[in-house]
Amino acid sequence: MASTNALPPTGNGLVVSFGEMLIDFVPTVSGVSLAEAPGFLKAPGGAPANVAIAVARLGGKAAFIGKLGDDEFGHMLAGILKENDVRSDGINFDKSARTALAFVTLRTDGEREFMFYRNPSADMLLTPEDLNLELIRSAKVFHYGSISLIVEPCRSAHLKAMEVAREAGCLLSYDPNLRLPLWPSPEEARQQILSIWEKADVIKVSDVELEFLTGSDKIDDESALSLWHPNLKLLLVTLGEHGSRYYTKSFHGSVGAFHVNTVDTTGAGDSFVGALLCKIVDDQSILEDEAKLREVLKFANACGAITTTKKGAIPALPTEADALNLINEKNVKEGVLEALKSRCIIL
């Protein structure tokens, strides 16, 4: 049984997260349609912003680059980033467009469906000229999704930011974060998500995204490895309650899940990614050391699990102490079970 003492320290290098930040409206009760919901909780969200806050909450250094509406929601979101120790010098405000909103339907199992209000929202209007290039160049990790690829001018800003980050020697981290309702068609989503695939050093997909991108209903090694590209350092597939799988040039395997009382899965993948990035930001050799990588992914799985135990993403993101407590609890339970098995065998 591995000890949590083997967990690498959180790095001091800067993780810059690029993309959207918005307001999620989450129903006060699960298992009803948006029309049937008696009320909604207002929760800050947006996958790239969630990742930045996840890094900071775990003790890392993070910054966010994106555009918000010059409205009450936009300034509230900027304030939340600052409250969570995320650098906000990459934020722009747009006077002509509102901050994006998303209404989230929670099924009884905590899974979600989305309805978005963006036509256009401020995040879609980020231009290459808006970018804080010095902030990007100061990063060790540059993280992004695919929603910023949907329309211009944000798509051009995204491509420019990636180019600058690559030239500066950043590790490029990509989580497509598929939201089909935002795309003109599934075919366009698949094409654009894959259009930047070979630029990334680290890619994380969910089981649903794996099925979508490969066109296969199989969640197995062969399907995952069909997404491999020669410059990739780490491919991750998150499997919800079944943990995660990892693939590198030299090895692959799986790490088990932590079983918790799931309320809302929003932000679980972002929490997982933030946990990974804050541990590898200063030590990319972890990606070539399977024992260390497994410890980091166990930690990331724990962070993702904890995030599902509350409604909304950002309020539920854990500290390192929270994650270590969950890991220790699991270790104790496994130790007790092993002892009981041994006792049974002896008897």
Side-chain angles (χ1 to χ4, degrees), residues 22-27 33-35 37 39-43 73 100-106 112-118 179 181 266:
L22 59 142
I23 305 287
D24 287 332
F25 287 92
V26 184
S33 69
L34 291 176
F40 297 87
L41 293 172
K42 182 181 64 185
F73 282 148
L101 308 178
F103 285 83
V104 186
T105 304
L106 284 183
R112 307 145 297 154
E113 295 172 354
F114 294 86
M115 183 168 72
F116 294 92
Y117 284 76
R118 315 165 75 231
R179 296 287 179 266
T266 306

Side-chain angles (χ1 to χ4, degrees), residues 109-238:
D109 61 359
E111 288 295 335
R112 307 145 297 154
E113 295 172 354
F114 294 86
M115 183 168 72
F116 294 92
Y117 284 76
R118 315 165 75 231
N119 52 336
S121 54
D123 59 289
M124 301 162 70
L125 301 179
L126 185 73
T127 68
E129 293 71 31
D130 289 330
L131 296 171
N132 183 337
L133 300 182
E134 289 310 306
L135 178 60
I136 295 171
R137 292 186 182 113
S138 69
K140 284 196 172 181
V141 172
F142 183 72
H143 176 75
Y144 48 90
S146 70
I147 289 174
S148 42
L149 296 173
I150 297 174
V151 296
E152 293 289 0
C154 190
R155 176 177 164 78
S156 290
H158 182 141
L159 297 177
K160 174 68 174 179
M162 281 177 55
E163 177 188 341
V164 171
R166 171 61 75 202
E167 290 173 354
C170 297
L171 183 83
L172 266 55
S173 166
Y174 185 21
D175 177 358
N177 193 42
L178 178 66
R179 296 287 179 266
L180 272 179
L182 293 177
W183 291 91
S185 69
E187 294 74 26
E188 176 76 4
R190 189 178 293 106
Q191 179 185 340
Q192 293 299 338
I193 287 170
L194 293 175
S195 71
I196 60 169
W197 199 257
E198 296 192 0
K199 305 283 188 184
D201 300 299
V202 174
I203 296 175
K204 172 256 164 191
V205 293
S206 69
D207 47 2
V208 173
E209 290 161 346
L210 177 63
E211 290 179 314
F212 174 77
L213 292 172
T214 62
S216 169
D217 59 0
K218 292 182 179 178
I219 309 295
D220 57 17
D221 292 343
E222 182 180 357
S223 182
L225 287 169
S226 72
L227 295 177
W228 185 264
H229 70 76
N231 299 317
L232 195 56
K233 295 179 179 177
L234 176 64
L235 173 65
L236 295 161
V237 181
T238 52

